[in-house]
PDB file of all heavy atoms in Angstrom:
ATOM      1  N   ARG N   1       0.826  -1.199   0.023  1.00 81.00           N
ATOM      2  CA  ARG N   1      -0.088   0.030  -0.030  1.00 81.00           C
ATOM      3  C   ARG N   1       0.849   1.177  -0.029  1.00 81.00           C
ATOM      4  O   ARG N   1       1.965   1.247   0.699  1.00 81.00           O
ATOM      5  CB  ARG N   1      -0.847  -0.089   1.260  1.00 81.00           C
ATOM      6  CG  ARG N   1      -1.730   1.128   1.504  1.00 81.00           C
ATOM      7  CD  ARG N   1      -2.600   0.910   2.765  1.00 81.00           C
ATOM      8  NE  ARG N   1      -1.836   1.191   3.839  1.00 81.00           N
ATOM      9  CZ  ARG N   1      -2.136   2.423   4.526  1.00 81.00           C
ATOM     10  NH1 ARG N   1      -3.070   3.225   4.011  1.00 81.00           N
ATOM     11  NH2 ARG N   1      -1.476   2.760   5.554  1.00 81.00           N
ATOM     12  N   ARG N   2       0.450   2.230  -0.653  1.00 86.00           N
ATOM     13  CA  ARG N   2       1.243   3.578  -0.747  1.00 86.00           C
ATOM     14  C   ARG N   2       0.882   4.405   0.422  1.00 86.00           C
ATOM     15  O   ARG N   2      -0.296   4.485   0.863  1.00 86.00           O
ATOM     16  CB  ARG N   2       0.969   4.269  -1.992  1.00 86.00           C
ATOM     17  CG  ARG N   2       1.469   3.631  -3.282  1.00 86.00           C
ATOM     18  CD  ARG N   2       1.366   4.564  -4.356  1.00 86.00           C
ATOM     19  NE  ARG N   2       2.676   4.545  -4.962  1.00 86.00           N
ATOM     20  CZ  ARG N   2       2.866   5.113  -6.127  1.00 86.00           C
ATOM     21  NH1 ARG N   2       1.858   5.762  -6.827  1.00 86.00           N
ATOM     22  NH2 ARG N   2       4.144   5.083  -6.646  1.00 86.00           N
ATOM     23  N   ARG N   3       1.853   4.986   1.021  1.00 84.00           N
ATOM     24  CA  ARG N   3       1.653   5.780   2.262  1.00 84.00           C
ATOM     25  C   ARG N   3       1.604   7.246   1.828  1.00 84.00           C
ATOM     26  O   ARG N   3       2.342   7.649   1.022  1.00 84.00           O
ATOM     27  CB  ARG N   3       2.634   5.523   3.290  1.00 84.00           C
ATOM     28  CG  ARG N   3       2.631   4.154   3.752  1.00 84.00           C
ATOM     29  CD  ARG N   3       3.492   3.987   5.005  1.00 84.00           C
ATOM     30  NE  ARG N   3       3.751   2.596   5.319  1.00 84.00           N
ATOM     31  CZ  ARG N   3       2.896   1.850   6.011  1.00 84.00           C
ATOM     32  NH1 ARG N   3       1.630   2.388   6.408  1.00 84.00           N
ATOM     33  NH2 ARG N   3       3.089   0.651   6.357  1.00 84.00           N
ATOM     34  N   THR N   4       0.854   8.086   2.454  1.00 89.00           N
ATOM     35  CA  THR N   4       0.731   9.496   2.266  1.00 89.00           C
ATOM     36  C   THR N   4       2.000  10.087   2.901  1.00 89.00           C
ATOM     37  O   THR N   4       2.575   9.544   3.864  1.00 89.00           O
ATOM     38  CB  THR N   4      -0.529  10.134   2.909  1.00 89.00           C
ATOM     39  OG1 THR N   4      -0.432   9.884   4.233  1.00 89.00           O
ATOM     40  CG2 THR N   4      -1.761   9.416   2.369  1.00 89.00           C
ATOM     41  N   PRO N   5       2.384  11.311   2.439  1.00 87.00           N
ATOM     42  CA  PRO N   5       3.454  11.919   3.065  1.00 87.00           C
ATOM     43  C   PRO N   5       3.356  12.239   4.578  1.00 87.00           C
ATOM     44  O   PRO N   5       4.211  12.064   5.418  1.00 87.00           O
ATOM     45  CB  PRO N   5       3.582  13.352   2.367  1.00 87.00           C
ATOM     46  CG  PRO N   5       2.998  12.990   1.012  1.00 87.00           C
ATOM     47  CD  PRO N   5       1.907  12.026   1.293  1.00 87.00           C
ATOM     48  N   ALA N   6       2.087  12.541   5.034  1.00 87.00           N
ATOM     49  CA  ALA N   6       1.856  12.725   6.482  1.00 87.00           C
ATOM     50  C   ALA N   6       2.008  11.505   7.240  1.00 87.00           C
ATOM     51  O   ALA N   6       2.545  11.493   8.311  1.00 87.00           O
ATOM     52  CB  ALA N   6       0.430  13.287   6.702  1.00 87.00           C
ATOM     53  N   GLU N   7       1.553  10.386   6.693  1.00 84.00           N
ATOM     54  CA  GLU N   7       1.673   9.053   7.380  1.00 84.00           C
ATOM     55  C   GLU N   7       3.168   8.631   7.434  1.00 84.00           C
ATOM     56  O   GLU N   7       3.575   8.190   8.358  1.00 84.00           O
ATOM     57  CB  GLU N   7       0.891   8.017   6.524  1.00 84.00           C
ATOM     58  CG  GLU N   7       0.593   6.772   7.267  1.00 84.00           C
ATOM     59  CD  GLU N   7      -0.319   5.839   6.477  1.00 84.00           C
ATOM     60  OE1 GLU N   7      -0.490   6.053   5.320  1.00 84.00           O
ATOM     61  OE2 GLU N   7      -0.720   4.817   7.104  1.00 84.00           O
ATOM     62  N   LYS N   8       3.939   8.864   6.382  1.00 78.00           N
ATOM     63  CA  LYS N   8       5.335   8.606   6.363  1.00 78.00           C
ATOM     64  C   LYS N   8       6.004   9.417   7.474  1.00 78.00           C
ATOM     65  O   LYS N   8       6.930   8.828   8.198  1.00 78.00           O
ATOM     66  CB  LYS N   8       5.981   9.011   5.083  1.00 78.00           C
ATOM     67  CG  LYS N   8       5.659   8.012   4.016  1.00 78.00           C
ATOM     68  CD  LYS N   8       6.342   8.357   2.659  1.00 78.00           C
ATOM     69  CE  LYS N   8       5.945   7.473   1.497  1.00 78.00           C
ATOM     70  NZ  LYS N   8       6.489   7.951   0.256  1.00 78.00           N
ATOM     71  N   LYS N   9       5.673  10.691   7.568  1.00 80.00           N
ATOM     72  CA  LYS N   9       6.316  11.514   8.683  1.00 80.00           C
ATOM     73  C   LYS N   9       5.980  11.054  10.021  1.00 80.00           C
ATOM     74  O   LYS N   9       6.843  11.008  10.880  1.00 80.00           O
ATOM     75  CB  LYS N   9       5.805  12.932   8.456  1.00 80.00           C
ATOM     76  CG  LYS N   9       6.552  14.050   9.245  1.00 80.00           C
ATOM     77  CD  LYS N   9       6.093  15.419   8.885  1.00 80.00           C
ATOM     78  CE  LYS N   9       6.898  16.427   9.601  1.00 80.00           C
ATOM     79  NZ  LYS N   9       6.571  17.745   9.274  1.00 80.00           N
ATOM     80  N   ARG N  10       4.746  10.647  10.295  1.00 76.00           N
ATOM     81  CA  ARG N  10       4.296  10.185  11.561  1.00 76.00           C
ATOM     82  C   ARG N  10       5.079   8.888  11.885  1.00 76.00           C
ATOM     83  O   ARG N  10       5.510   8.714  12.960  1.00 76.00           O
ATOM     84  CB  ARG N  10       2.783   9.867  11.555  1.00 76.00           C
ATOM     85  CG  ARG N  10       2.329   9.394  12.871  1.00 76.00           C
ATOM     86  CD  ARG N  10       0.746   9.081  12.799  1.00 76.00           C
ATOM     87  NE  ARG N  10       0.410   8.101  11.784  1.00 76.00           N
ATOM     88  CZ  ARG N  10       0.510   6.863  11.853  1.00 76.00           C
ATOM     89  NH1 ARG N  10       1.010   6.219  12.922  1.00 76.00           N
ATOM     90  NH2 ARG N  10       0.146   6.116  10.755  1.00 76.00           N
ATOM     91  N   LEU N  11       5.218   7.949  10.951  1.00 72.00           N
ATOM     92  CA  LEU N  11       5.966   6.722  11.164  1.00 72.00           C
ATOM     93  C   LEU N  11       7.401   6.890  11.479  1.00 72.00           C
ATOM     94  O   LEU N  11       8.007   6.321  12.335  1.00 72.00           O
ATOM     95  CB  LEU N  11       5.701   5.784  10.026  1.00 72.00           C
ATOM     96  CG  LEU N  11       4.337   5.173   9.808  1.00 72.00           C
ATOM     97  CD1 LEU N  11       4.241   4.451   8.476  1.00 72.00           C
ATOM     98  CD2 LEU N  11       3.993   4.217  11.019  1.00 72.00           C
ATOM     99  N   GLU N  12       7.966   7.915  10.789  1.00 72.00           N
ATOM    100  CA  GLU N  12       9.377   8.240  10.981  1.00 72.00           C
ATOM    101  C   GLU N  12       9.603   8.798  12.436  1.00 72.00           C
ATOM    102  O   GLU N  12      10.519   8.412  13.076  1.00 72.00           O
ATOM    103  CB  GLU N  12       9.876   9.273   9.930  1.00 72.00           C
ATOM    104  CG  GLU N  12      11.282   9.323   9.906  1.00 72.00           C
ATOM    105  CD  GLU N  12      12.037   7.944   9.583  1.00 72.00           C
ATOM    106  OE1 GLU N  12      11.484   7.153   8.709  1.00 72.00           O
ATOM    107  OE2 GLU N  12      13.112   7.773  10.287  1.00 72.00           O
ATOM    108  N   ARG N  13       8.692   9.627  12.867  1.00 70.00           N
ATOM    109  CA  ARG N  13       8.743  10.161  14.292  1.00 70.00           C
ATOM    110  C   ARG N  13       8.741   9.052  15.202  1.00 70.00           C
ATOM    111  O   ARG N  13       9.364   9.058  16.268  1.00 70.00           O
ATOM    112  CB  ARG N  13       7.698  11.231  14.498  1.00 70.00           C
ATOM    113  CG  ARG N  13       8.141  12.591  14.038  1.00 70.00           C
ATOM    114  CD  ARG N  13       7.236  13.598  14.715  1.00 70.00           C
ATOM    115  NE  ARG N  13       5.765  13.297  14.650  1.00 70.00           N
ATOM    116  CZ  ARG N  13       4.897  13.860  13.746  1.00 70.00           C
ATOM    117  NH1 ARG N  13       5.320  14.783  12.851  1.00 70.00           N
ATOM    118  NH2 ARG N  13       3.688  13.519  13.702  1.00 70.00           N
ATOM    119  N   ALA N  14       7.786   8.051  14.960  1.00 65.00           N
ATOM    120  CA  ALA N  14       7.622   6.939  15.985  1.00 65.00           C
ATOM    121  C   ALA N  14       8.925   6.098  16.018  1.00 65.00           C
ATOM    122  O   ALA N  14       9.178   5.588  17.057  1.00 65.00           O
ATOM    123  CB  ALA N  14       6.425   6.083  15.511  1.00 65.00           C
ATOM    124  N   ARG N  15       9.657   5.979  14.924  1.00 67.00           N
ATOM    125  CA  ARG N  15      10.802   5.242  14.948  1.00 67.00           C
ATOM    126  C   ARG N  15      12.061   5.928  15.597  1.00 67.00           C
ATOM    127  O   ARG N  15      13.021   5.344  16.008  1.00 67.00           O
ATOM    128  CB  ARG N  15      11.277   4.916  13.634  1.00 67.00           C
ATOM    129  CG  ARG N  15      10.490   3.769  12.948  1.00 67.00           C
ATOM    130  CD  ARG N  15      11.168   3.333  11.610  1.00 67.00           C
ATOM    131  NE  ARG N  15      10.120   2.908  10.718  1.00 67.00           N
ATOM    132  CZ  ARG N  15       9.720   3.552   9.730  1.00 67.00           C
ATOM    133  NH1 ARG N  15      10.122   4.579   9.311  1.00 67.00           N
ATOM    134  NH2 ARG N  15       8.644   2.972   8.989  1.00 67.00           N
ATOM    135  N   ASP N  16      11.839   7.187  15.942  1.00 72.00           N
ATOM    136  CA  ASP N  16      12.878   8.003  16.501  1.00 72.00           C
ATOM    137  C   ASP N  16      12.870   7.914  18.037  1.00 72.00           C
ATOM    138  O   ASP N  16      13.616   8.654  18.658  1.00 72.00           O
ATOM    139  CB  ASP N  16      12.810   9.409  16.093  1.00 72.00           C
ATOM    140  CG  ASP N  16      13.299   9.723  14.637  1.00 72.00           C
ATOM    141  OD1 ASP N  16      13.900   8.728  14.118  1.00 72.00           O
ATOM    142  OD2 ASP N  16      13.001  10.740  14.106  1.00 72.00           O
ATOM    143  N   HIS N  17      12.078   6.999  18.619  1.00 71.00           N
ATOM    144  CA  HIS N  17      11.955   6.897  20.052  1.00 71.00           C
ATOM    145  C   HIS N  17      12.018   5.495  20.500  1.00 71.00           C
ATOM    146  O   HIS N  17      11.559   4.600  19.783  1.00 71.00           O
ATOM    147  CB  HIS N  17      10.692   7.597  20.553  1.00 71.00           C
ATOM    148  CG  HIS N  17      10.677   9.097  20.452  1.00 71.00           C
ATOM    149  ND1 HIS N  17      11.189   9.851  21.430  1.00 71.00           N
ATOM    150  CD2 HIS N  17      10.270   9.929  19.520  1.00 71.00           C
ATOM    151  CE1 HIS N  17      11.019  11.196  21.001  1.00 71.00           C
ATOM    152  NE2 HIS N  17      10.498  11.196  19.841  1.00 71.00           N
ATOM    153  N   PHE N  18      12.630   5.264  21.716  1.00 66.00           N
ATOM    154  CA  PHE N  18      12.630   3.927  22.194  1.00 66.00           C
ATOM    155  C   PHE N  18      11.352   3.638  22.832  1.00 66.00           C
ATOM    156  O   PHE N  18      10.548   4.624  23.298  1.00 66.00           O
ATOM    157  CB  PHE N  18      13.635   3.914  23.456  1.00 66.00           C
ATOM    158  CG  PHE N  18      15.055   3.522  23.028  1.00 66.00           C
ATOM    159  CD1 PHE N  18      16.023   4.366  23.078  1.00 66.00           C
ATOM    160  CD2 PHE N  18      15.288   2.275  22.431  1.00 66.00           C
ATOM    161  CE1 PHE N  18      17.374   4.087  22.715  1.00 66.00           C
ATOM    162  CE2 PHE N  18      16.622   1.949  22.093  1.00 66.00           C
ATOM    163  CZ  PHE N  18      17.650   2.877  22.174  1.00 66.00           C
ATOM    164  N   ASP N  19      10.852   2.378  22.884  1.00 63.00           N
ATOM    165  CA  ASP N  19       9.589   2.068  23.543  1.00 63.00           C
ATOM    166  C   ASP N  19       9.928   1.609  24.989  1.00 63.00           C
ATOM    167  O   ASP N  19      10.555   0.584  25.237  1.00 63.00           O
ATOM    168  CB  ASP N  19       8.961   0.928  22.782  1.00 63.00           C
ATOM    169  CG  ASP N  19       7.644   0.451  23.285  1.00 63.00           C
ATOM    170  OD1 ASP N  19       7.218   1.201  24.212  1.00 63.00           O
ATOM    171  OD2 ASP N  19       7.191  -0.633  23.018  1.00 63.00           O
ATOM    172  N   ASP N  20       9.664   2.482  25.924  1.00 59.00           N
ATOM    173  CA  ASP N  20       9.960   2.193  27.298  1.00 59.00           C
ATOM    174  C   ASP N  20       8.837   1.504  28.034  1.00 59.00           C
ATOM    175  O   ASP N  20       8.849   1.312  29.218  1.00 59.00           O
ATOM    176  CB  ASP N  20      10.214   3.488  28.121  1.00 59.00           C
ATOM    177  CG  ASP N  20      11.596   3.982  27.899  1.00 59.00           C
ATOM    178  OD1 ASP N  20      12.452   3.094  27.345  1.00 59.00           O
ATOM    179  OD2 ASP N  20      12.011   5.062  28.380  1.00 59.00           O
ATOM    180  N   TRP N  21       7.705   1.049  27.252  1.00 58.00           N
ATOM    181  CA  TRP N  21       6.588   0.537  27.987  1.00 58.00           C
ATOM    182  C   TRP N  21       6.652  -0.955  28.096  1.00 58.00           C
ATOM    183  O   TRP N  21       5.726  -1.556  28.570  1.00 58.00           O
ATOM    184  CB  TRP N  21       5.275   0.891  27.211  1.00 58.00           C
ATOM    185  CG  TRP N  21       5.102   2.372  27.186  1.00 58.00           C
ATOM    186  CD1 TRP N  21       5.281   3.240  26.234  1.00 58.00           C
ATOM    187  CD2 TRP N  21       4.744   3.137  28.415  1.00 58.00           C
ATOM    188  NE1 TRP N  21       5.042   4.575  26.664  1.00 58.00           N
ATOM    189  CE2 TRP N  21       4.745   4.432  28.035  1.00 58.00           C
ATOM    190  CE3 TRP N  21       4.501   2.837  29.701  1.00 58.00           C
ATOM    191  CZ2 TRP N  21       4.417   5.509  28.901  1.00 58.00           C
ATOM    192  CZ3 TRP N  21       4.118   3.805  30.531  1.00 58.00           C
ATOM    193  CH2 TRP N  21       4.145   5.128  30.153  1.00 58.00           C
ATOM    194  N   GLY N  22       7.683  -1.625  27.607  1.00 57.00           N
ATOM    195  CA  GLY N  22       7.795  -3.004  27.708  1.00 57.00           C
ATOM    196  C   GLY N  22       8.715  -3.668  26.724  1.00 57.00           C
ATOM    197  O   GLY N  22       9.146  -2.936  25.720  1.00 57.00           O
ATOM    198  N   GLU N  23       9.034  -4.848  26.797  1.00 64.00           N
ATOM    199  CA  GLU N  23       9.914  -5.562  25.882  1.00 64.00           C
ATOM    200  C   GLU N  23       9.182  -5.668  24.562  1.00 64.00           C
ATOM    201  O   GLU N  23       9.883  -5.737  23.580  1.00 64.00           O
ATOM    202  CB  GLU N  23      10.284  -6.899  26.542  1.00 64.00           C
ATOM    203  CG  GLU N  23      11.243  -6.743  27.680  1.00 64.00           C
ATOM    204  CD  GLU N  23      12.507  -6.101  27.289  1.00 64.00           C
ATOM    205  OE1 GLU N  23      13.077  -6.327  26.226  1.00 64.00           O
ATOM    206  OE2 GLU N  23      12.979  -5.219  28.123  1.00 64.00           O
ATOM    207  N   ASN N  24       7.871  -5.941  24.553  1.00 73.00           N
ATOM    208  CA  ASN N  24       7.197  -6.152  23.310  1.00 73.00           C
ATOM    209  C   ASN N  24       5.775  -5.338  23.428  1.00 73.00           C
ATOM    210  O   ASN N  24       5.400  -4.957  24.396  1.00 73.00           O
ATOM    211  CB  ASN N  24       7.072  -7.565  22.889  1.00 73.00           C
ATOM    212  CG  ASN N  24       6.291  -8.345  23.957  1.00 73.00           C
ATOM    213  OD1 ASN N  24       5.398  -7.768  24.679  1.00 73.00           O
ATOM    214  ND2 ASN N  24       6.540  -9.645  24.144  1.00 73.00           N
ATOM    215  N   GLN N  25       5.127  -5.389  22.222  1.00 71.00           N
ATOM    216  CA  GLN N  25       3.906  -4.579  22.245  1.00 71.00           C
ATOM    217  C   GLN N  25       2.866  -5.178  23.114  1.00 71.00           C
ATOM    218  O   GLN N  25       2.060  -4.566  23.652  1.00 71.00           O
ATOM    219  CB  GLN N  25       3.403  -4.570  20.734  1.00 71.00           C
ATOM    220  CG  GLN N  25       2.350  -3.460  20.609  1.00 71.00           C
ATOM    221  CD  GLN N  25       2.862  -2.144  20.924  1.00 71.00           C
ATOM    222  OE1 GLN N  25       4.024  -1.670  20.874  1.00 71.00           O
ATOM    223  NE2 GLN N  25       1.924  -1.344  21.611  1.00 71.00           N
ATOM    224  N   LYS N  26       2.844  -6.547  23.284  1.00 79.00           N
ATOM    225  CA  LYS N  26       1.894  -7.245  24.196  1.00 79.00           C
ATOM    226  C   LYS N  26       1.983  -6.775  25.595  1.00 79.00           C
ATOM    227  O   LYS N  26       0.981  -6.494  26.292  1.00 79.00           O
ATOM    228  CB  LYS N  26       2.156  -8.778  24.021  1.00 79.00           C
ATOM    229  CG  LYS N  26       1.290  -9.503  24.939  1.00 79.00           C
ATOM    230  CD  LYS N  26      -0.160  -9.404  24.708  1.00 79.00           C
ATOM    231  CE  LYS N  26      -0.958 -10.299  25.649  1.00 79.00           C
ATOM    232  NZ  LYS N  26      -2.379 -10.171  25.554  1.00 79.00           N
ATOM    233  N   ALA N  27       3.271  -6.542  26.110  1.00 78.00           N
ATOM    234  CA  ALA N  27       3.522  -6.129  27.466  1.00 78.00           C
ATOM    235  C   ALA N  27       2.951  -4.691  27.574  1.00 78.00           C
ATOM    236  O   ALA N  27       2.294  -4.372  28.641  1.00 78.00           O
ATOM    237  CB  ALA N  27       4.946  -6.108  27.681  1.00 78.00           C
ATOM    238  N   ALA N  28       3.089  -3.835  26.606  1.00 76.00           N
ATOM    239  CA  ALA N  28       2.507  -2.471  26.711  1.00 76.00           C
ATOM    240  C   ALA N  28       0.999  -2.540  26.811  1.00 76.00           C
ATOM    241  O   ALA N  28       0.305  -1.898  27.492  1.00 76.00           O
ATOM    242  CB  ALA N  28       3.058  -1.640  25.688  1.00 76.00           C
ATOM    243  N   ARG N  29       0.466  -3.325  25.880  1.00 81.00           N
ATOM    244  CA  ARG N  29      -0.970  -3.426  25.743  1.00 81.00           C
ATOM    245  C   ARG N  29      -1.626  -3.909  27.055  1.00 81.00           C
ATOM    246  O   ARG N  29      -2.701  -3.605  27.481  1.00 81.00           O
ATOM    247  CB  ARG N  29      -1.481  -4.270  24.682  1.00 81.00           C
ATOM    248  CG  ARG N  29      -1.290  -3.704  23.251  1.00 81.00           C
ATOM    249  CD  ARG N  29      -2.166  -4.381  22.249  1.00 81.00           C
ATOM    250  NE  ARG N  29      -1.964  -5.839  22.273  1.00 81.00           N
ATOM    251  CZ  ARG N  29      -1.058  -6.507  21.516  1.00 81.00           C
ATOM    252  NH1 ARG N  29      -0.331  -5.904  20.675  1.00 81.00           N
ATOM    253  NH2 ARG N  29      -1.025  -7.738  21.637  1.00 81.00           N
ATOM    254  N   ARG N  30      -0.986  -4.758  27.746  1.00 85.00           N
ATOM    255  CA  ARG N  30      -1.386  -5.317  28.982  1.00 85.00           C
ATOM    256  C   ARG N  30      -1.156  -4.472  30.218  1.00 85.00           C
ATOM    257  O   ARG N  30      -1.996  -4.238  31.055  1.00 85.00           O
ATOM    258  CB  ARG N  30      -0.791  -6.721  29.211  1.00 85.00           C
ATOM    259  CG  ARG N  30      -1.363  -7.582  30.243  1.00 85.00           C
ATOM    260  CD  ARG N  30      -0.595  -8.680  30.771  1.00 85.00           C
ATOM    261  NE  ARG N  30       0.510  -7.925  31.625  1.00 85.00           N
ATOM    262  CZ  ARG N  30       1.653  -8.514  31.954  1.00 85.00           C
ATOM    263  NH1 ARG N  30       1.964  -9.640  31.437  1.00 85.00           N
ATOM    264  NH2 ARG N  30       2.585  -7.939  32.671  1.00 85.00           N
ATOM    265  N   ASN N  31      -0.036  -3.869  30.273  1.00 84.00           N
ATOM    266  CA  ASN N  31       0.435  -3.071  31.413  1.00 84.00           C
ATOM    267  C   ASN N  31      -0.239  -1.658  31.513  1.00 84.00           C
ATOM    268  O   ASN N  31      -0.511  -1.228  32.530  1.00 84.00           O
ATOM    269  CB  ASN N  31       1.910  -2.881  31.567  1.00 84.00           C
ATOM    270  CG  ASN N  31       2.571  -4.145  31.939  1.00 84.00           C
ATOM    271  OD1 ASN N  31       1.934  -4.964  32.636  1.00 84.00           O
ATOM    272  ND2 ASN N  31       3.809  -4.475  31.400  1.00 84.00           N
ATOM    273  N   LEU N  32      -0.403  -1.023  30.369  1.00 85.00           N
ATOM    274  CA  LEU N  32      -1.016   0.384  30.508  1.00 85.00           C
ATOM    275  C   LEU N  32      -2.388   0.454  31.108  1.00 85.00           C
ATOM    276  O   LEU N  32      -2.607   1.209  32.019  1.00 85.00           O
ATOM    277  CB  LEU N  32      -1.051   1.059  29.026  1.00 85.00           C
ATOM    278  CG  LEU N  32       0.466   1.300  28.595  1.00 85.00           C
ATOM    279  CD1 LEU N  32       0.415   1.877  27.237  1.00 85.00           C
ATOM    280  CD2 LEU N  32       1.209   2.182  29.483  1.00 85.00           C
ATOM    281  N   PRO N  33      -3.314  -0.441  30.731  1.00 89.00           N
ATOM    282  CA  PRO N  33      -4.608  -0.417  31.426  1.00 89.00           C
ATOM    283  C   PRO N  33      -4.447  -0.815  32.853  1.00 89.00           C
ATOM    284  O   PRO N  33      -5.267  -0.334  33.744  1.00 89.00           O
ATOM    285  CB  PRO N  33      -5.428  -1.520  30.639  1.00 89.00           C
ATOM    286  CG  PRO N  33      -4.771  -1.639  29.256  1.00 89.00           C
ATOM    287  CD  PRO N  33      -3.352  -1.372  29.514  1.00 89.00           C
ATOM    288  N   LEU N  34      -3.490  -1.647  33.235  1.00 91.00           N
ATOM    289  CA  LEU N  34      -3.281  -2.076  34.626  1.00 91.00           C
ATOM    290  C   LEU N  34      -2.816  -0.897  35.498  1.00 91.00           C
ATOM    291  O   LEU N  34      -3.262  -0.697  36.604  1.00 91.00           O
ATOM    292  CB  LEU N  34      -2.303  -3.258  34.748  1.00 91.00           C
ATOM    293  CG  LEU N  34      -2.747  -4.568  34.125  1.00 91.00           C
ATOM    294  CD1 LEU N  34      -1.666  -5.635  34.328  1.00 91.00           C
ATOM    295  CD2 LEU N  34      -4.021  -5.043  34.893  1.00 91.00           C
ATOM    296  N   ILE N  35      -1.924  -0.090  34.936  1.00 89.00           N
ATOM    297  CA  ILE N  35      -1.484   1.122  35.630  1.00 89.00           C
ATOM    298  C   ILE N  35      -2.617   2.097  35.792  1.00 89.00           C
ATOM    299  O   ILE N  35      -2.787   2.600  36.941  1.00 89.00           O
ATOM    300  CB  ILE N  35      -0.303   1.789  34.821  1.00 89.00           C
ATOM    301  CG1 ILE N  35       0.909   0.904  34.721  1.00 89.00           C
ATOM    302  CG2 ILE N  35      -0.024   3.108  35.334  1.00 89.00           C
ATOM    303  CD1 ILE N  35       1.896   1.403  33.723  1.00 89.00           C
ATOM    304  N   ARG N  36      -3.437   2.299  34.807  1.00 90.00           N
ATOM    305  CA  ARG N  36      -4.605   3.259  34.958  1.00 90.00           C
ATOM    306  C   ARG N  36      -5.535   2.643  36.033  1.00 90.00           C
ATOM    307  O   ARG N  36      -6.036   3.452  36.856  1.00 90.00           O
ATOM    308  CB  ARG N  36      -5.225   3.280  33.632  1.00 90.00           C
ATOM    309  CG  ARG N  36      -4.570   4.085  32.551  1.00 90.00           C
ATOM    310  CD  ARG N  36      -5.464   4.448  31.403  1.00 90.00           C
ATOM    311  NE  ARG N  36      -4.720   4.896  30.296  1.00 90.00           N
ATOM    312  CZ  ARG N  36      -4.315   4.254  29.209  1.00 90.00           C
ATOM    313  NH1 ARG N  36      -4.801   2.973  29.067  1.00 90.00           N
ATOM    314  NH2 ARG N  36      -3.643   4.679  28.293  1.00 90.00           N
ATOM    315  N   ALA N  37      -5.669   1.383  36.006  1.00 93.00           N
ATOM    316  CA  ALA N  37      -6.700   0.833  36.996  1.00 93.00           C
ATOM    317  C   ALA N  37      -6.094   0.942  38.455  1.00 93.00           C
ATOM    318  O   ALA N  37      -6.917   1.122  39.386  1.00 93.00           O
ATOM    319  CB  ALA N  37      -6.861  -0.716  36.657  1.00 93.00           C
ATOM    320  N   ARG N  38      -4.751   0.780  38.535  1.00 92.00           N
ATOM    321  CA  ARG N  38      -4.239   0.947  39.938  1.00 92.00           C
ATOM    322  C   ARG N  38      -4.380   2.331  40.379  1.00 92.00           C
ATOM    323  O   ARG N  38      -4.751   2.535  41.561  1.00 92.00           O
ATOM    324  CB  ARG N  38      -2.762   0.544  39.819  1.00 92.00           C
ATOM    325  CG  ARG N  38      -2.130   0.443  41.112  1.00 92.00           C
ATOM    326  CD  ARG N  38      -0.665  -0.170  41.181  1.00 92.00           C
ATOM    327  NE  ARG N  38       0.188   0.562  40.326  1.00 92.00           N
ATOM    328  CZ  ARG N  38       0.964   0.079  39.264  1.00 92.00           C
ATOM    329  NH1 ARG N  38       0.898  -1.179  38.990  1.00 92.00           N
ATOM    330  NH2 ARG N  38       1.731   0.843  38.572  1.00 92.00           N
ATOM    331  N   HIS N  39      -4.260   3.319  39.571  1.00 91.00           N
ATOM    332  CA  HIS N  39      -4.436   4.695  40.033  1.00 91.00           C
ATOM    333  C   HIS N  39      -5.884   4.967  40.317  1.00 91.00           C
ATOM    334  O   HIS N  39      -6.142   5.630  41.382  1.00 91.00           O
ATOM    335  CB  HIS N  39      -4.050   5.669  38.865  1.00 91.00           C
ATOM    336  CG  HIS N  39      -2.595   5.922  38.795  1.00 91.00           C
ATOM    337  ND1 HIS N  39      -1.909   7.003  39.252  1.00 91.00           N
ATOM    338  CD2 HIS N  39      -1.614   5.150  38.169  1.00 91.00           C
ATOM    339  CE1 HIS N  39      -0.705   6.968  39.186  1.00 91.00           C
ATOM    340  NE2 HIS N  39      -0.439   5.873  38.422  1.00 91.00           N
TER     341      HIS N  39
END
């Protein structure tokens, strides 16, 4: 699929940061709601 210039820019910005929310995406999807619930 062809990406729009805005989409390319958004994806490039996302790659410029480390993911500190977990080792993999599953960990982040599981832990973020747990943190909110704990608060």
Side-chain angles (χ1 to χ4, degrees):
R1 180 177 84 99
R2 292 192 129 169
R3 300 193 187 280
T4 64
E7 196 175 8
K8 288 179 184 177
K9 190 173 185 180
R10 180 182 55 80
L11 289 172
E12 193 58 41
R13 274 197 311 257
R15 281 190 211 107
D16 287 345
H17 290 274
F18 274 115
D19 180 14
D20 277 353
W21 295 107
E23 291 297 318
N24 60 30
Q25 198 54 38
K26 173 64 177 173
R29 285 196 312 264
R30 194 196 74 201
N31 286 328
L32 294 178
L34 292 177
I35 293 168
R36 290 189 191 107
R38 189 171 59 232
H39 278 264

